[in-house]
Amino acid sequence: SSMEVVLHYRPHQTDLIELQKFAEAAMKEFRIRQLPRFAPWFPNDLNRLPLKPKKQAPVISCEEVEELKQLSAPSEYVTGSPDYDCTKNLLEFHSSMKHGPALVQAQAVHRPINLDYQGELPPNGKQKLKRSWSVSLPSAKLKEKIQPLSQELQNNLERLKLHAFCRAKWTIEESICKNQNLEDIWIKLNRLIKQNELPSCNATIQRSVGQIWIFCDILYCEYVRNILREKLCLTDKMNLLVHKYGIIFSL
């Protein structure tokens, strides 16, 4: 039986003898080491197992098996093509591409990505913020500004047996935004997080329910709330929620 071998090489590799040697070396069969016969290090007596399951294995019907097969089946099947060329989209294999430093420069060229704004410009010329998540970076400069937690919040933590580094959530609704819509608040909040003014925070806008969620460690929650009130001009009280505990504090 014969087999066709296709060798891809870069334009600057012109030594055909060297390429032939390289291809022949790649086609050599790998050495196969004969494995010794397996000898178990424990009694191989299946009739006297030391451990037995407490319950019988679950039984499912044939209909359930077919349903699971349909759910796990891939929606599209990728079939190989006899004309498939793995180097088609690689710049270094193009005949017009030079080798050496020029190759590195060509591969390093990329289009800058703006993390804040995505999408095309709308008719009014202003870019629209499309992100729904924003995450802050750790900053050591804010440690001096963080004040101890209020006595009321400390009492709540002690009563609920919660740690100060437990995550909690502030919720912003349009009712406390003082003549601002939620998108304007979201843009301002992203700017605060980008400037590392909100320690340990990550935020998400839930447009379907008209809310913005700001997650932070309880240790910084009062500081975060004061920054939100000052920078975003929020009115009325906000509730601090902890998963499975509900509202634990209002400020």
Side-chain angles (χ1 to χ4, degrees):
S1 62
S2 60
M3 180 176 60
E4 182 182 352
V5 177
V6 180
L7 175 63
H8 298 278
Y9 59 92
R10 295 175 176 83
H12 65 275
Q13 294 175 320
T14 57
D15 191 344
L16 299 181
I17 297 177
E18 190 67 26
L19 290 173
Q20 183 179 352
K21 291 181 180 179
F22 178 79
E24 290 175 352
M27 296 300 297
K28 287 183 178 180
E29 294 185 2
F30 291 100
R31 295 180 181 179
I32 300 177
R33 181 172 63 90
Q34 189 69 29
L35 296 177
R37 185 178 178 277
F38 174 73
W41 58 92
F42 52 86
N44 191 18
D45 187 0
L46 298 178
N47 296 323
R48 299 176 58 188
L49 291 175
L51 298 176
K52 292 184 180 180
K54 186 176 181 180
K55 297 181 180 179
Q56 294 292 333
V59 179
I60 60 176
S61 63
C62 297
E63 291 79 6
E64 291 173 319
V65 171
E66 292 299 325
E67 184 179 352
L68 290 175
K69 286 182 179 180
Q70 293 178 1
L71 292 175
S72 61
S75 57
E76 295 180 0
Y77 293 93
V78 180
T79 56
S81 171
D83 300 328
Y84 175 72
D85 184 1
C86 62
T87 64
K88 185 176 180 180
N89 297 321
L90 297 179
L91 294 177
E92 59 181 308
F93 285 95
H94 288 190
S95 58
S96 59
M97 183 60 62
K98 297 180 180 180
H99 63 279
L103 175 62
V104 179
Q105 293 175 4
Q107 291 178 333
V109 173
H110 63 280
R111 186 170 56 183
I113 300 174
N114 191 328
L115 295 178
D116 291 335
Y117 301 98
Q118 300 173 1
E120 298 179 356
L121 286 173
N124 60 7
K126 294 183 179 179
Q127 290 175 312
K128 189 177 180 180
L129 190 67
K130 293 293 184 182
R131 282 190 303 164
S132 59
W133 274 96
S134 189
V135 181
S136 68
L137 297 175
S139 176
K141 298 179 181 179
L142 291 174
K143 290 183 178 180
E144 301 175 355
K145 299 181 181 180
I146 307 298
Q147 300 294 325
L149 296 177
S150 64
Q151 190 61 46
E152 179 185 355
L153 183 53
Q154 290 185 35
N155 294 339
N156 291 342
L157 296 183
E158 186 176 351
R159 175 174 54 86
L160 298 172
K161 297 181 180 179
L162 289 173
H163 196 276
F165 284 103
C166 180
R167 299 293 282 178
K169 177 181 75 173
W170 293 111
T171 303
I172 299 178
E173 300 179 351
E174 284 199 7
S175 59
I176 64 171
C177 291
K178 196 178 181 180
N179 300 326
Q180 304 174 86
N181 61 45
L182 212 62
E183 294 294 337
D184 293 336
I185 293 293
W186 177 239
I187 293 173
K188 293 179 181 178
L189 177 62
N190 273 272
R191 192 177 298 118
L192 291 176
I193 293 179
K194 187 177 180 181
Q195 295 170 354
N196 291 337
E197 296 194 36
L198 300 176
S200 79
C201 277
N202 59 294
T204 175
I205 180 170
Q206 301 288 327
R207 294 182 173 89
S208 59
V209 294
Q211 294 179 344
I212 295 176
W213 298 346
I214 300 109
F215 300 89
C216 64
D217 295 342
I218 294 180
L219 181 64
Y220 309 115
C221 67
E222 290 178 314
Y223 175 82
V224 168
R225 170 62 177 120
N226 293 331
I227 293 294
L228 294 177
R229 179 194 291 116
E230 176 186 351
K231 301 291 185 178
L232 304 182
C233 301
L234 301 179
T235 60
D236 208 351
K237 284 188 175 183
M238 289 175 61
N239 295 323
L240 185 70
L241 292 92
V242 175
H243 183 56
K244 295 183 179 180
Y245 291 88
I247 299 174
I248 66 166
F249 187 62
S250 296
L251 186 61

